Amino acid sequence: MQHFELNKRIYVSITLYILSIISLATYSYLQEKNHIYTALDLKLKTAALTISSLLPANFHQKKMAYDKNSTQLNSINRTVLSNYAKNINISNLYTLILRDNQILFTSASTTNIDDDGFDSNDIEFLTAYNDADTQLYNIFTDQQPRLIEYQDKWGRFRSIFIPIYAADGSVYIAAADITIDTISFQLNQHFNKIMLISALFIFSVFSLFFIQAITYRQQLKKLRHKIAQRTAELVQSEAKLNSIFEHSPVGIFHYNKQGILLKTNRHFEKIFGANKDGLIGFNMLSNIKNPPFATAMKSSLKGQISTFEGEYISISHRKKSYLEVDLVPLYSSTGEIDGGVGVCDDITLQQQNTSNLQKLSRVVECSLDGILITNTNGIIEYVNPRFTQITGYSSKESIGEKANFFRSIETTNTTYKALWSRISSGNEWSEEVHNQRKNGELYWAKVTIIPMTNANDEITHFIGIQVDITESRIIAKQIAYQAKHDMLTGLINRYEFEHQLTDAVCSAQGSQLTHVLFFLDLDQFKIINDTCGHAAGDELLRQVAGLIDDNLKPNDILARLGGDEFAILMRNCQLTEAVSAANEILEKVKKFQFIWKKSCFSIGVSIGVAEISRNSGNTSEVLIHADLACYAAKDLGRNRVHTYHHNDELLTTRDGEFRWVNEIKEALNEDRFELYAQPIVALSDPEHKHVFEVLLRMQAKDGKIIAPGIFLPIAERYNLSQPIDRWVFDHTLDWMREHSQQLDIFDHISINLSGTSLGDDELLQHIMRNITQAGLTPQQFMFEITETAAISNLTNATVFINTLSEFGCQFALDDFGSGLSSFAYLKNLPVNTLKIDGIFIKDILTNPIDAAMVKSINEIGHLMKLKTVAEFVENDAIKQKIEAIGIDFAQGYGIGEPQPIDNMLCLNQQ
């Protein structure tokens, strides 16, 4: 008892020491528990968020249903989720949906870490989760992620449930589990380890203390206070050091001289995206793939302070970062290098911001727009190089000046007041203004000013952007002028003239005013243009325009409508006065002598006159009246004036043609044409694929079909052939595209082109471009041109045919033999087929001359390696005759009548 009293303080100290050890062990246990839960929760969250990238795109939908692919897809999903779950030691990964107030599985892993009997092989696609925790329903409602510990038929789990939006806007839950037993096992294992170490330590210390107690009792008494004090300091110092180490805002890591990590803090783990267990023991020297980083570590192990800054990719998680690392060597008590300590920070965001700022700065510096930045008082703080180029003021001359120092007197104070009022209220301002360069030159600028605000929506600066639009405004004016004027003569063009004519017609319809319209067509112009060239023709038009303009009153309007056609509008003029003026112009033109390169030419003019009054009709009718009168002047012998009267018989015939012109134009606008076709058969080769020629019919407004012989000649006379040719080609192409699967029965399809189309470069490009885009081969197309059209446009026809022939299209020369010099021109036209004019075919049985002509054409065609086609084959007798001559193909009513193009698809059945 006395012995106990003597050693009471010692035993109390021992007891307190043991309790402190147990307290530290308990604190360590709680810290470890918190660390484990934090790490596991992060792992669960990462795993759940990764599910969407593991499953197929657009897997989750509102209309998910079981189909023939579901079993295979479920198996694939289970394998992918299971492998991932095993790799990261997660018990289960799965996704859930809510349908009809019931939670269903859509996919699940088969991971079974703790062998708790959980088997998700019985969980198939859309399996019901019958004993789901009620909190899961709330997650679908409030759509907030939750961490839950719960128990169901498969065991007790700590789980995370994260709602995710699918591509179609529906919500599904990505979930990850880990069993409570797994967590408890880790905690118990750690606790037992701590308690065992603590027990061993206490036992060792107690034994040693007990053995030495008697010998060193006196020394311990003397040192008791000092030890207690030092112990307290040490514990406090170690706690501070550990706290600083763990909670440092930078990543800290300790490695030995082999480069193996011995200790890391939380920020280091966060930077590298790995937990402490995965980092401790990791050999950085052996595994780092970044040579500069490895070199810096090696330098630190040689006693040098080294640094690394650059891109780094984490080995374990492939996390890409931009790091800044300082490495210092550590020395042992003997002075030898025992490892090193590294301090690192993730500066990815700063690097990105720096990079973005550099890019933005580069964009501003290289911008094609002038840019300036001012403070809130409008004082310039920055200008880019383009601003200097536009204004002529250098950066040094501009910075510190008011932003309007380069304004011109053309820009009023009202404009600047409105500008300042708008941008001061935080709104963008944009307008075209007149500014002045340093050299005094004025220029137009499109100016935009944008307020810059901070996080508190306070205006800090203004950005001014100006684009020099001086040239574009000049070009716009030129374009506006060119849109209304003829570039050759300087007169207004047809578009502007019709606009002014419409005003005159409207003014006449609502009053007693009368105006007069002249339509002028030069005579002999084509002769001069063709013999002396276009330069002479252009000069002639300029001189005639000046001559006519000199004889007009100030209020009269002269326009060039195109080619050698002019028009005059005399406002507030009586018809008798206008006719007198027209005759004066006629006499002036008659006396006019055009001199070109020592040659002198005389020309004439045919003038049609039409009165504009309240009974004249609309603008189109007035133009038609004047045009009819002009044509009548030409028909009566040219070089004269003819006035339009509604009862003029000569004009009645012309008026009928013009009515057809309007009918044709309306048919084009209303798509009232129909494609017909006529078959062409091979005579000597029965196995030859089918061929047919595309023909055209016009549908009248009452539904009747109009034959081409009625409207095509008028279309050619009034320059409507080109739009008709384009209509036929486009609709034939559409038909071929629609029936592309059946085109194999045809060798080719023939399409007619008028003579005016042969000089149309736009149509040429249109044909090649659309055949290519339609996916058809050029060899499927044969274009037919008449011999007359080809010869009258020989140069254009040769270019047109050569271009399309090189592209792969075929050409046929239609109505061959009707010209006077057919054979002479034939060698200059690169065609594939001759279509012999039907005038020789229809009488071939009774007229020996026609028979000889057909035979001659066929022989020459074959000599030139051309195929021949006989037109107008009306019966079997003619067919037998031309077959005996050796003609290759036949076409006519005896072969097949024209019929709707769709009937050509039935040729194989005939």
Side-chain angles (χ1 to χ4, degrees), residues 409-573:
I409 59 174
E410 302 288 334
T411 306
T412 64
N413 289 330
T414 304
T415 300
Y416 277 95
K417 287 179 181 178
L419 178 160
W420 189 254
S421 174
R422 184 164 180 80
I423 65 175
S424 297
S425 60
N427 296 310
E428 179 181 315
W429 180 88
S430 183
E431 196 171 314
E432 293 181 3
V433 297
H434 228 167
N435 286 335
Q436 186 171 357
R437 306 187 205 275
K438 183 179 179 180
N439 60 8
E441 178 186 345
L442 295 179
Y443 69 97
W444 279 100
K446 173 71 174 179
V447 178
T448 301
I449 302 178
I450 306 168
M452 292 178 61
T453 57
N454 57 20
N456 298 322
D457 287 334
E458 297 172 340
I459 298 174
T460 60
H461 293 82
F462 296 108
I463 298 178
I465 304 171
Q466 64 169 311
V467 182
D468 187 345
I469 59 171
T470 307
E471 185 175 348
S472 62
R473 284 179 70 101
I474 294 172
I475 293 173
K477 285 184 178 180
Q478 292 175 346
I479 292 173
Y481 178 84
Q482 292 172 2
K484 296 182 179 181
H485 290 78
D486 171 50
M487 292 298 98
L488 178 63
T489 61
L491 303 175
I492 63 172
N493 57 19
R494 187 184 195 102
Y495 171 81
E496 178 63 16
F497 182 78
E498 289 184 357
H499 178 72
Q500 298 200 30
L501 178 62
T502 300
D503 289 342
V505 170
C506 291
S507 68
Q509 289 175 346
S511 66
Q512 298 295 324
L513 294 174
T514 59
H515 315 292
V516 180
L517 172 66
F518 292 179
F519 196 98
L520 300 85
D521 190 304
L522 299 183
D523 300 324
Q524 287 85 45
F525 169 77
K526 191 174 187 315
I527 296 174
I528 298 173
N529 195 62
D530 291 345
T531 56
C532 299
H534 292 295
D538 292 346
E539 180 59 28
L540 172 61
L541 291 174
R542 279 191 289 267
Q543 292 186 20
V544 170
L547 175 68
I548 297 173
D549 193 42
D550 290 342
N551 288 273
L552 298 180
K553 294 182 293 184
N555 290 334
D556 297 340
I557 299 171
L558 173 63
R560 181 188 175 207
L561 303 184
D564 59 350
E565 295 177 344
F566 295 85
I568 299 173
L569 175 62
M570 290 188 170
R571 290 181 175 272
N572 302 323
C573 179

Side-chain angles (χ1 to χ4, degrees), residues 48 236 260 368 407 462 882:
Q236 186 178 10
I260 298 173
L368 297 178
R407 64 177 285 190
F462 296 108
I882 62 173

Side-chain angles (χ1 to χ4, degrees), residues 146-184:
R146 295 189 185 180
L147 274 165
I148 303 173
E149 288 191 3
Y150 69 98
Q151 183 171 355
D152 57 16
K153 65 181 180 181
W154 289 299
R156 294 176 63 242
F157 299 95
R158 182 172 180 85
S159 306
I160 190 168
F161 298 91
I162 301 177
I164 298 176
Y165 286 97
D168 61 353
S170 63
V171 177
Y172 68 95
I173 289 179
D177 293 342
I178 189 163
T179 61
I180 298 298
D181 292 340
T182 300
I183 301 172
S184 299

Side-chain angles (χ1 to χ4, degrees), residues 837-855:
D837 197 336
I839 194 172
F840 301 119
I841 302 297
K842 64 181 182 178
D843 296 326
I844 194 171
L845 299 176
T846 58
N847 190 324
I849 296 177
D850 287 347
M853 285 289 293
V854 171
K855 183 178 180 181

Side-chain angles (χ1 to χ4, degrees), residues 10-35:
I10 297 174
Y11 293 122
V12 170
S13 298
I14 292 173
T15 302
L16 291 175
Y17 191 74
I18 291 172
L19 290 176
S20 67
I21 294 298
I22 293 173
S23 298
L24 287 173
T26 303
Y27 174 76
S28 177
Y29 170 80
L30 294 175
Q31 288 291 98
E32 182 62 18
K33 180 180 179 180
N34 182 57
H35 175 73

